[in-house]
């Protein structure tokens, strides 16, 4: 039998809710900037759409996982954000091509993994800055990549997720993550090489 006073139970619940809200606020402050950069690249610089997607992901995270430990929020948040992005892309595709449902359309480019791609260690995006390439130039180059390559690069190099976690977030195989990430690095180096010859090309 629960002999705790009802007002004490209410106070405990209120305290837990405040603690959760505080943790979420700190989490949002930590990831909002990076998530916005990722979504702006994925939506071709549409800042308003990017902000909406990030906000919707935060709302969904809070609604479903507010009681989880903070360290679990990172992969959960990016999984939700990835799903929000794909929902938005499907809506845009239907709006642009209203009869596209009559044919099978894959939203994932190059989703077949190339065999024997080495899982390159996650890069620090600032390494590009050390070689006199600006953040704006990097973001512009990222926007030129296919979406799945953008996601693999940002999750691995920007957020520092390992291959297994990135595969879970992107809902694909680890082999596909390695392929997308490898091709993203090649594409970025090729795009940025003319800005700084020291970047060179990626070996294949």
């Amino acid at each position: 039998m629960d002999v705790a006073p009802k007002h004490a139970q209410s106070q405990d619940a209120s305290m837990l809710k405040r603690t959760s809200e505080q943790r979420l606020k700190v989490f949002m402050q930590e990831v909002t900037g990076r998530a916005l950069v990722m979504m702006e690249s994925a939506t071709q610089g549409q800042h308003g759409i990017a902000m909406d997607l990030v906000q919707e992901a935060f709302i969904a995270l809070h609604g479903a996982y507010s009681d989880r430990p903070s360290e679990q929020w990172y992969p959960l948040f990016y999984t939700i954000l990835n799903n929000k992005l794909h929902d938005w892309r499907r809506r845009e595709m239907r709006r642009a091509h209203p009869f596209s449902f009559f044919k099978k359309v894959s939203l994932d480019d190059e989703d077949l993994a190339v065999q024997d791609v080495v899982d390159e260690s996650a890069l620090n995006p600032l390494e590009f800055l050390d070689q006199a390439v600006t953040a704006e130039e990097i973001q512009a180059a990222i926007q030129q990549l296919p979406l799945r390559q953008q996601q693999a690069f940002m999750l691995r190099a920007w957020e520092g997720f390992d291959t297994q976690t990135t595969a879970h977030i992107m809902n694909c195989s680890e082999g596909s993550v390695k392929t997308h990430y490898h091709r993203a690095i090649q594409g970025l180096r090729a795009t940025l090489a003319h800005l700084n010859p020291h970047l060179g090309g990626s070996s294949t």
Side-chain angles (χ1 to χ4, degrees), residues 9-150:
Q9 295 179 23
S10 177
Q11 289 177 349
D12 290 343
S14 178
M15 180 66 70
L16 287 173
K17 182 177 180 180
R18 286 199 300 270
T19 302
S20 175
E21 296 290 343
Q22 291 169 352
R23 288 193 300 123
L24 184 65
K25 183 177 180 180
V26 171
F27 176 77
M28 289 174 63
Q29 291 173 343
E30 290 179 353
V31 304
T32 295
R34 300 194 302 273
L36 276 175
V37 170
M38 185 183 299
M39 289 300 100
E40 286 180 359
S41 295
T43 60
Q44 298 298 305
Q46 299 187 64
H47 182 71
I49 297 297
M51 288 189 66
D52 288 344
L53 293 173
V54 171
Q55 185 175 33
E56 289 174 9
F58 278 130
I59 292 171
L61 179 75
H62 178 262
Y65 303 108
S66 61
D67 59 339
R68 297 287 187 91
S70 300
E71 60 270 17
Q72 293 184 13
W73 283 349
Y74 290 90
L76 286 170
F77 170 74
Y78 281 104
T79 300
I80 294 169
L81 186 59
N82 181 61
N83 291 336
K84 295 290 183 183
L85 174 62
H86 280 291
D87 288 344
W88 174 78
R89 293 187 75 220
R90 290 187 182 96
R91 289 194 299 270
E92 289 299 296
M93 180 171 288
R94 285 196 295 269
R95 186 176 295 114
H97 306 285
F99 301 107
S100 62
F101 57 85
F102 285 116
K103 58 184 179 181
K104 183 177 179 180
V105 177
S106 174
L107 295 178
D108 298 338
D109 63 293
E110 306 174 337
D111 216 24
L112 295 177
V114 174
Q115 300 298 317
D116 301 324
V117 171
V118 177
D119 185 22
E120 299 163 89
S121 59
L123 297 176
N124 180 353
L126 296 181
E127 290 177 1
F128 289 110
L129 298 180
D130 292 339
Q131 303 194 43
V133 179
T134 69
E136 289 77 13
E137 290 166 341
I138 293 174
Q139 187 170 0
I142 291 172
Q143 288 182 2
Q144 295 180 34
L145 296 173
L147 178 62
R148 299 292 271 178
Q149 292 181 28
Q150 287 184 30

